[in-house]
Amino acid sequence: MIPSTDAHVGTDLDPDAAPEPDSTQQFLRHVMIVGGTLGDWDDLGVQRWDQRVAELGAVAANAGATFLTLRAFEEGVRPSGSTRWERKVDTCHVIIDPCGDGRARFAQAMADLPPDEPINEATVSEMLYAPADYEPDLIVVLGEPTRLPPSLVWELAYGELVFRPMAWHELSTEHLVEAIGDFARRERRFGGLDDSDESVG
């Protein structure tokens, strides 16, 4: 059964609860889910891919996100024919990005940067995330928190990471709803440190 996806970021994810003004409410524009190898992606099959994109895109759209990027955790050892593709689901633009090597993606973005463009954070981000207009606010990583995905490099600076220790094929809409709820309860510091964090320094 697909859980209700009428979720408002900053609320308790109750679809019947009207959102109240809240100065601490998170602003969720771009969600990224990172998981599986390219072989795992191929194993999912066309029908399950279509279903997954439709369901996860609906959750992201109902949470207010205008972009959802699905990215492989790493390339893996099996050869794959996976290619990049996109689909519009409600008000959310879903980007399926099989690139499992963040360093290769960064190098390609730099190579694709027009020669008359300045090299700065804004122009590099634009090349890396296009057609998304902004970097991910929430990054859901399918894996243990002891290992970061090789497919992420630039994205780790400001995105809020939520780890879910599960395999790619186990991902469901419920897991995304839970991750959005986790995100909504956080106080974002965009790479900064909390003065009360005793584990730092």
PDB file of all heavy atoms in Angstrom, residues 39-67:
ATOM      1  N   GLY A  39      24.336  -2.052 -11.539  1.00  0.00           N
ATOM      2  CA  GLY A  39      23.758  -3.380 -11.706  1.00  0.00           C
ATOM      3  C   GLY A  39      22.441  -3.514 -10.969  1.00  0.00           C
ATOM      4  O   GLY A  39      21.476  -4.110 -11.476  1.00  0.00           O
ATOM      5  N   ASP A  40      22.372  -2.952  -9.761  1.00  0.00           N
ATOM      6  CA  ASP A  40      21.124  -2.957  -9.002  1.00  0.00           C
ATOM      7  C   ASP A  40      20.040  -2.190  -9.757  1.00  0.00           C
ATOM      8  O   ASP A  40      18.867  -2.578  -9.759  1.00  0.00           O
ATOM      9  CB  ASP A  40      21.321  -2.308  -7.625  1.00  0.00           C
ATOM     10  CG  ASP A  40      22.294  -3.075  -6.748  1.00  0.00           C
ATOM     11  OD1 ASP A  40      22.405  -4.308  -6.914  1.00  0.00           O
ATOM     12  OD2 ASP A  40      22.950  -2.435  -5.895  1.00  0.00           O
ATOM     13  N   TRP A  41      20.436  -1.084 -10.376  1.00  0.00           N
ATOM     14  CA  TRP A  41      19.471  -0.294 -11.140  1.00  0.00           C
ATOM     15  C   TRP A  41      18.916  -1.097 -12.307  1.00  0.00           C
ATOM     16  O   TRP A  41      17.720  -1.081 -12.571  1.00  0.00           O
ATOM     17  CB  TRP A  41      20.145   0.978 -11.648  1.00  0.00           C
ATOM     18  CG  TRP A  41      20.242   2.069 -10.622  1.00  0.00           C
ATOM     19  CD1 TRP A  41      20.425   1.920  -9.285  1.00  0.00           C
ATOM     20  CD2 TRP A  41      20.168   3.468 -10.867  1.00  0.00           C
ATOM     21  NE1 TRP A  41      20.472   3.149  -8.675  1.00  0.00           N
ATOM     22  CE2 TRP A  41      20.323   4.120  -9.618  1.00  0.00           C
ATOM     23  CE3 TRP A  41      20.002   4.240 -12.014  1.00  0.00           C
ATOM     24  CZ2 TRP A  41      20.295   5.503  -9.494  1.00  0.00           C
ATOM     25  CZ3 TRP A  41      19.981   5.620 -11.895  1.00  0.00           C
ATOM     26  CH2 TRP A  41      20.118   6.239 -10.650  1.00  0.00           C
ATOM     27  N   ASP A  42      19.798  -1.825 -13.013  1.00  0.00           N
ATOM     28  CA  ASP A  42      19.344  -2.634 -14.140  1.00  0.00           C
ATOM     29  C   ASP A  42      18.392  -3.740 -13.682  1.00  0.00           C
ATOM     30  O   ASP A  42      17.424  -4.068 -14.371  1.00  0.00           O
ATOM     31  CB  ASP A  42      20.540  -3.261 -14.859  1.00  0.00           C
ATOM     32  CG  ASP A  42      21.364  -2.243 -15.636  1.00  0.00           C
ATOM     33  OD1 ASP A  42      20.870  -1.123 -15.867  1.00  0.00           O
ATOM     34  OD2 ASP A  42      22.516  -2.563 -15.991  1.00  0.00           O
ATOM     35  N   ASP A  43      18.668  -4.304 -12.504  1.00  0.00           N
ATOM     36  CA  ASP A  43      17.836  -5.389 -11.989  1.00  0.00           C
ATOM     37  C   ASP A  43      16.408  -4.958 -11.694  1.00  0.00           C
ATOM     38  O   ASP A  43      15.498  -5.788 -11.642  1.00  0.00           O
ATOM     39  CB  ASP A  43      18.451  -5.980 -10.709  1.00  0.00           C
ATOM     40  CG  ASP A  43      19.745  -6.742 -10.969  1.00  0.00           C
ATOM     41  OD1 ASP A  43      19.998  -7.096 -12.138  1.00  0.00           O
ATOM     42  OD2 ASP A  43      20.501  -6.977 -10.010  1.00  0.00           O
ATOM     43  N   LEU A  44      16.209  -3.663 -11.476  1.00  0.00           N
ATOM     44  CA  LEU A  44      14.878  -3.176 -11.118  1.00  0.00           C
ATOM     45  C   LEU A  44      13.884  -3.369 -12.257  1.00  0.00           C
ATOM     46  O   LEU A  44      12.708  -3.625 -12.026  1.00  0.00           O
ATOM     47  CB  LEU A  44      14.965  -1.689 -10.730  1.00  0.00           C
ATOM     48  CG  LEU A  44      13.880  -1.147  -9.814  1.00  0.00           C
ATOM     49  CD1 LEU A  44      13.854  -1.887  -8.490  1.00  0.00           C
ATOM     50  CD2 LEU A  44      14.097   0.344  -9.574  1.00  0.00           C
ATOM     51  N   GLY A  45      14.347  -3.274 -13.489  1.00  0.00           N
ATOM     52  CA  GLY A  45      13.453  -3.471 -14.626  1.00  0.00           C
ATOM     53  C   GLY A  45      12.641  -2.230 -14.966  1.00  0.00           C
ATOM     54  O   GLY A  45      12.426  -1.355 -14.124  1.00  0.00           O
ATOM     55  N   VAL A  46      12.173  -2.168 -16.198  1.00  0.00           N
ATOM     56  CA  VAL A  46      11.482  -0.983 -16.710  1.00  0.00           C
ATOM     57  C   VAL A  46      10.195  -0.703 -15.945  1.00  0.00           C
ATOM     58  O   VAL A  46       9.918   0.442 -15.553  1.00  0.00           O
ATOM     59  CB  VAL A  46      11.182  -1.146 -18.215  1.00  0.00           C
ATOM     60  CG1 VAL A  46      10.336   0.018 -18.735  1.00  0.00           C
ATOM     61  CG2 VAL A  46      12.466  -1.258 -19.010  1.00  0.00           C
ATOM     62  N   GLN A  47       9.380  -1.737 -15.714  1.00  0.00           N
ATOM     63  CA  GLN A  47       8.086  -1.527 -15.057  1.00  0.00           C
ATOM     64  C   GLN A  47       8.244  -0.992 -13.633  1.00  0.00           C
ATOM     65  O   GLN A  47       7.562  -0.041 -13.235  1.00  0.00           O
ATOM     66  CB  GLN A  47       7.292  -2.824 -15.034  1.00  0.00           C
ATOM     67  CG  GLN A  47       5.890  -2.666 -14.447  1.00  0.00           C
ATOM     68  CD  GLN A  47       5.078  -3.940 -14.549  1.00  0.00           C
ATOM     69  OE1 GLN A  47       5.523  -4.941 -15.106  1.00  0.00           O
ATOM     70  NE2 GLN A  47       3.872  -3.908 -14.002  1.00  0.00           N
ATOM     71  N   ARG A  48       9.164  -1.586 -12.890  1.00  0.00           N
ATOM     72  CA  ARG A  48       9.380  -1.123 -11.515  1.00  0.00           C
ATOM     73  C   ARG A  48      10.026   0.256 -11.481  1.00  0.00           C
ATOM     74  O   ARG A  48       9.775   1.049 -10.572  1.00  0.00           O
ATOM     75  CB  ARG A  48      10.223  -2.140 -10.741  1.00  0.00           C
ATOM     76  CG  ARG A  48       9.480  -3.434 -10.415  1.00  0.00           C
ATOM     77  CD  ARG A  48      10.315  -4.358  -9.569  1.00  0.00           C
ATOM     78  NE  ARG A  48      10.567  -3.797  -8.240  1.00  0.00           N
ATOM     79  CZ  ARG A  48      11.466  -4.286  -7.395  1.00  0.00           C
ATOM     80  NH1 ARG A  48      12.232  -5.317  -7.755  1.00  0.00           N
ATOM     81  NH2 ARG A  48      11.623  -3.749  -6.209  1.00  0.00           N
ATOM     82  N   TRP A  49      10.841   0.567 -12.470  1.00  0.00           N
ATOM     83  CA  TRP A  49      11.413   1.906 -12.552  1.00  0.00           C
ATOM     84  C   TRP A  49      10.314   2.941 -12.764  1.00  0.00           C
ATOM     85  O   TRP A  49      10.287   3.988 -12.119  1.00  0.00           O
ATOM     86  CB  TRP A  49      12.433   1.989 -13.684  1.00  0.00           C
ATOM     87  CG  TRP A  49      13.845   1.915 -13.215  1.00  0.00           C
ATOM     88  CD1 TRP A  49      14.730   0.895 -13.421  1.00  0.00           C
ATOM     89  CD2 TRP A  49      14.558   2.907 -12.468  1.00  0.00           C
ATOM     90  NE1 TRP A  49      15.947   1.187 -12.832  1.00  0.00           N
ATOM     91  CE2 TRP A  49      15.865   2.416 -12.240  1.00  0.00           C
ATOM     92  CE3 TRP A  49      14.219   4.147 -11.960  1.00  0.00           C
ATOM     93  CZ2 TRP A  49      16.826   3.125 -11.540  1.00  0.00           C
ATOM     94  CZ3 TRP A  49      15.171   4.865 -11.250  1.00  0.00           C
ATOM     95  CH2 TRP A  49      16.464   4.357 -11.048  1.00  0.00           C
ATOM     96  N   ASP A  50       9.402   2.659 -13.688  1.00  0.00           N
ATOM     97  CA  ASP A  50       8.298   3.576 -13.945  1.00  0.00           C
ATOM     98  C   ASP A  50       7.474   3.808 -12.688  1.00  0.00           C
ATOM     99  O   ASP A  50       7.109   4.941 -12.361  1.00  0.00           O
ATOM    100  CB  ASP A  50       7.395   3.029 -15.062  1.00  0.00           C
ATOM    101  CG  ASP A  50       8.018   3.163 -16.435  1.00  0.00           C
ATOM    102  OD1 ASP A  50       8.954   3.975 -16.594  1.00  0.00           O
ATOM    103  OD2 ASP A  50       7.568   2.462 -17.359  1.00  0.00           O
ATOM    104  N   GLN A  51       7.187   2.721 -11.978  1.00  0.00           N
ATOM    105  CA  GLN A  51       6.405   2.819 -10.750  1.00  0.00           C
ATOM    106  C   GLN A  51       7.156   3.609  -9.678  1.00  0.00           C
ATOM    107  O   GLN A  51       6.586   4.472  -9.003  1.00  0.00           O
ATOM    108  CB  GLN A  51       6.065   1.420 -10.229  1.00  0.00           C
ATOM    109  CG  GLN A  51       5.232   1.426  -8.954  1.00  0.00           C
ATOM    110  CD  GLN A  51       4.926   0.020  -8.467  1.00  0.00           C
ATOM    111  OE1 GLN A  51       5.437  -0.966  -9.009  1.00  0.00           O
ATOM    112  NE2 GLN A  51       4.106  -0.073  -7.436  1.00  0.00           N
ATOM    113  N   ARG A  52       8.441   3.327  -9.550  1.00  0.00           N
ATOM    114  CA  ARG A  52       9.248   4.008  -8.531  1.00  0.00           C
ATOM    115  C   ARG A  52       9.319   5.504  -8.793  1.00  0.00           C
ATOM    116  O   ARG A  52       9.157   6.319  -7.883  1.00  0.00           O
ATOM    117  CB  ARG A  52      10.653   3.405  -8.489  1.00  0.00           C
ATOM    118  CG  ARG A  52      11.617   4.168  -7.593  1.00  0.00           C
ATOM    119  CD  ARG A  52      12.826   3.338  -7.245  1.00  0.00           C
ATOM    120  NE  ARG A  52      12.469   2.241  -6.350  1.00  0.00           N
ATOM    121  CZ  ARG A  52      13.352   1.494  -5.707  1.00  0.00           C
ATOM    122  NH1 ARG A  52      14.641   1.725  -5.845  1.00  0.00           N
ATOM    123  NH2 ARG A  52      12.965   0.513  -4.921  1.00  0.00           N
ATOM    124  N   VAL A  53       9.570   5.888 -10.038  1.00  0.00           N
ATOM    125  CA  VAL A  53       9.655   7.307 -10.379  1.00  0.00           C
ATOM    126  C   VAL A  53       8.328   8.006 -10.117  1.00  0.00           C
ATOM    127  O   VAL A  53       8.280   9.113  -9.559  1.00  0.00           O
ATOM    128  CB  VAL A  53      10.100   7.477 -11.849  1.00  0.00           C
ATOM    129  CG1 VAL A  53       9.905   8.909 -12.320  1.00  0.00           C
ATOM    130  CG2 VAL A  53      11.557   7.066 -12.004  1.00  0.00           C
ATOM    131  N   ALA A  54       7.216   7.360 -10.498  1.00  0.00           N
ATOM    132  CA  ALA A  54       5.899   7.960 -10.293  1.00  0.00           C
ATOM    133  C   ALA A  54       5.595   8.149  -8.815  1.00  0.00           C
ATOM    134  O   ALA A  54       5.113   9.207  -8.387  1.00  0.00           O
ATOM    135  CB  ALA A  54       4.826   7.092 -10.951  1.00  0.00           C
ATOM    136  N   GLU A  55       5.868   7.128  -8.000  1.00  0.00           N
ATOM    137  CA  GLU A  55       5.532   7.187  -6.579  1.00  0.00           C
ATOM    138  C   GLU A  55       6.434   8.152  -5.813  1.00  0.00           C
ATOM    139  O   GLU A  55       5.955   8.980  -5.027  1.00  0.00           O
ATOM    140  CB  GLU A  55       5.614   5.791  -5.974  1.00  0.00           C
ATOM    141  CG  GLU A  55       4.549   4.849  -6.502  1.00  0.00           C
ATOM    142  CD  GLU A  55       4.692   3.429  -5.977  1.00  0.00           C
ATOM    143  OE1 GLU A  55       5.702   3.131  -5.293  1.00  0.00           O
ATOM    144  OE2 GLU A  55       3.786   2.612  -6.236  1.00  0.00           O
ATOM    145  N   LEU A  56       7.739   8.059  -6.035  1.00  0.00           N
ATOM    146  CA  LEU A  56       8.662   8.939  -5.315  1.00  0.00           C
ATOM    147  C   LEU A  56       8.508  10.386  -5.780  1.00  0.00           C
ATOM    148  O   LEU A  56       8.600  11.321  -4.972  1.00  0.00           O
ATOM    149  CB  LEU A  56      10.103   8.474  -5.507  1.00  0.00           C
ATOM    150  CG  LEU A  56      10.456   7.099  -4.931  1.00  0.00           C
ATOM    151  CD1 LEU A  56      11.898   6.737  -5.282  1.00  0.00           C
ATOM    152  CD2 LEU A  56      10.240   7.054  -3.425  1.00  0.00           C
ATOM    153  N   GLY A  57       8.255  10.564  -7.058  1.00  0.00           N
ATOM    154  CA  GLY A  57       8.023  11.917  -7.570  1.00  0.00           C
ATOM    155  C   GLY A  57       6.792  12.555  -6.950  1.00  0.00           C
ATOM    156  O   GLY A  57       6.787  13.752  -6.643  1.00  0.00           O
ATOM    157  N   ALA A  58       5.744  11.753  -6.732  1.00  0.00           N
ATOM    158  CA  ALA A  58       4.524  12.274  -6.111  1.00  0.00           C
ATOM    159  C   ALA A  58       4.783  12.682  -4.667  1.00  0.00           C
ATOM    160  O   ALA A  58       4.282  13.712  -4.204  1.00  0.00           O
ATOM    161  CB  ALA A  58       3.416  11.223  -6.180  1.00  0.00           C
ATOM    162  N   VAL A  59       5.574  11.887  -3.935  1.00  0.00           N
ATOM    163  CA  VAL A  59       5.915  12.236  -2.555  1.00  0.00           C
ATOM    164  C   VAL A  59       6.683  13.551  -2.518  1.00  0.00           C
ATOM    165  O   VAL A  59       6.378  14.454  -1.725  1.00  0.00           O
ATOM    166  CB  VAL A  59       6.749  11.124  -1.890  1.00  0.00           C
ATOM    167  CG1 VAL A  59       7.276  11.572  -0.525  1.00  0.00           C
ATOM    168  CG2 VAL A  59       5.915   9.852  -1.729  1.00  0.00           C
ATOM    169  N   ALA A  60       7.702  13.667  -3.378  1.00  0.00           N
ATOM    170  CA  ALA A  60       8.514  14.886  -3.407  1.00  0.00           C
ATOM    171  C   ALA A  60       7.666  16.092  -3.777  1.00  0.00           C
ATOM    172  O   ALA A  60       7.794  17.164  -3.176  1.00  0.00           O
ATOM    173  CB  ALA A  60       9.676  14.714  -4.385  1.00  0.00           C
ATOM    174  N   ALA A  61       6.779  15.939  -4.759  1.00  0.00           N
ATOM    175  CA  ALA A  61       5.924  17.047  -5.182  1.00  0.00           C
ATOM    176  C   ALA A  61       5.009  17.493  -4.050  1.00  0.00           C
ATOM    177  O   ALA A  61       4.859  18.697  -3.795  1.00  0.00           O
ATOM    178  CB  ALA A  61       5.097  16.639  -6.405  1.00  0.00           C
ATOM    179  N   ASN A  62       4.417  16.551  -3.351  1.00  0.00           N
ATOM    180  CA  ASN A  62       3.498  16.884  -2.266  1.00  0.00           C
ATOM    181  C   ASN A  62       4.212  17.482  -1.060  1.00  0.00           C
ATOM    182  O   ASN A  62       3.582  18.122  -0.220  1.00  0.00           O
ATOM    183  CB  ASN A  62       2.688  15.652  -1.859  1.00  0.00           C
ATOM    184  CG  ASN A  62       1.600  15.324  -2.861  1.00  0.00           C
ATOM    185  OD1 ASN A  62       1.002  16.214  -3.445  1.00  0.00           O
ATOM    186  ND2 ASN A  62       1.362  14.054  -3.074  1.00  0.00           N
ATOM    187  N   ALA A  63       5.519  17.272  -0.978  1.00  0.00           N
ATOM    188  CA  ALA A  63       6.305  17.882   0.095  1.00  0.00           C
ATOM    189  C   ALA A  63       6.805  19.265  -0.307  1.00  0.00           C
ATOM    190  O   ALA A  63       7.460  19.933   0.475  1.00  0.00           O
ATOM    191  CB  ALA A  63       7.485  16.985   0.462  1.00  0.00           C
ATOM    192  N   GLY A  64       6.509  19.681  -1.541  1.00  0.00           N
ATOM    193  CA  GLY A  64       6.888  21.008  -1.992  1.00  0.00           C
ATOM    194  C   GLY A  64       8.133  21.063  -2.854  1.00  0.00           C
ATOM    195  O   GLY A  64       8.519  22.135  -3.325  1.00  0.00           O
ATOM    196  N   ALA A  65       8.788  19.923  -3.077  1.00  0.00           N
ATOM    197  CA  ALA A  65      10.010  19.912  -3.891  1.00  0.00           C
ATOM    198  C   ALA A  65       9.663  20.012  -5.375  1.00  0.00           C
ATOM    199  O   ALA A  65       8.719  19.377  -5.835  1.00  0.00           O
ATOM    200  CB  ALA A  65      10.820  18.654  -3.622  1.00  0.00           C
ATOM    201  N   THR A  66      10.441  20.774  -6.100  1.00  0.00           N
ATOM    202  CA  THR A  66      10.234  20.878  -7.537  1.00  0.00           C
ATOM    203  C   THR A  66      11.213  20.013  -8.328  1.00  0.00           C
ATOM    204  O   THR A  66      11.051  19.853  -9.538  1.00  0.00           O
ATOM    205  CB  THR A  66      10.370  22.344  -8.009  1.00  0.00           C
ATOM    206  OG1 THR A  66      11.594  22.876  -7.509  1.00  0.00           O
ATOM    207  CG2 THR A  66       9.222  23.185  -7.502  1.00  0.00           C
ATOM    208  N   PHE A  67      12.214  19.473  -7.620  1.00  0.00           N
ATOM    209  CA  PHE A  67      13.152  18.554  -8.266  1.00  0.00           C
ATOM    210  C   PHE A  67      13.415  17.351  -7.358  1.00  0.00           C
ATOM    211  O   PHE A  67      13.535  17.493  -6.136  1.00  0.00           O
ATOM    212  CB  PHE A  67      14.490  19.240  -8.575  1.00  0.00           C
ATOM    213  CG  PHE A  67      14.408  20.248  -9.673  1.00  0.00           C
ATOM    214  CD1 PHE A  67      14.262  21.594  -9.376  1.00  0.00           C
ATOM    215  CD2 PHE A  67      14.451  19.859 -11.003  1.00  0.00           C
ATOM    216  CE1 PHE A  67      14.178  22.543 -10.385  1.00  0.00           C
ATOM    217  CE2 PHE A  67      14.361  20.798 -12.021  1.00  0.00           C
ATOM    218  CZ  PHE A  67      14.221  22.147 -11.711  1.00  0.00           C
TER     219      PHE A  67
END
